[in-house]
Amino acid sequence: GEYSEMINRLRAREGKPPDLQEATLAIYTEKIIAEPGNADWYENRGRLYMSMGRKAKALADFEKAVELNPYKKGEIDKLKNRL
């Protein structure tokens, strides 16, 4: 499917199997480019950044998610408190 094609492109570019987190990050970033108004992609990428220890990037994505969808504020605030 679409995701396996993206992962295969990453493999071809790097000449080795990509790290799963980095591959997922690339997918989320491509989705954000395709749908810049979709708060869910920013939240998902922010959660991934958080799990990778990239706090500043996680915070930026969480803030963008709330900007796009203010109804996410409560859940995002809980995530930000865990940073």
Side-chain angles (χ1 to χ4, degrees), residues 13-29:
R13 184 171 57 213
E14 297 178 10
K16 62 179 178 171
D19 174 83
L20 183 58
Q21 286 183 318
E22 290 296 335
T24 305
L25 186 60
I27 290 167
Y28 286 151
T29 299

Side-chain angles (χ1 to χ4, degrees), residues 65-80:
V66 171
E67 176 187 321
L68 292 170
N69 182 351
Y71 293 106
K72 289 188 169 288
K73 185 172 180 0
E75 182 64 25
I76 295 293
D77 284 346
K78 290 178 193 172
L79 290 169
K80 286 166 56 175

Side-chain angles (χ1 to χ4, degrees), residues 22-41:
E22 290 296 335
T24 305
L25 186 60
I27 290 167
Y28 286 151
T29 299
E30 286 194 24
K31 289 297 188 181
I32 286 169
I33 291 167
E35 300 178 53
N38 187 328
D40 292 338
W41 293 124

Side-chain angles (χ1 to χ4, degrees), residues 42-64 66 73 75-83:
Y42 284 97
E43 180 183 350
N44 290 342
R45 191 174 69 174
R47 287 174 182 269
L48 180 58
Y49 277 138
M50 190 169 85
S51 74
M52 297 170 82
R54 298 181 186 177
K55 294 179 181 184
K57 288 184 175 284
L59 185 59
D61 276 355
F62 290 154
E63 289 175 353
K64 184 66 175 180
V66 171
K73 185 172 180 0
E75 182 64 25
I76 295 293
D77 284 346
K78 290 178 193 172
L79 290 169
K80 286 166 56 175
N81 287 334
R82 293 174 34 203
L83 286 175

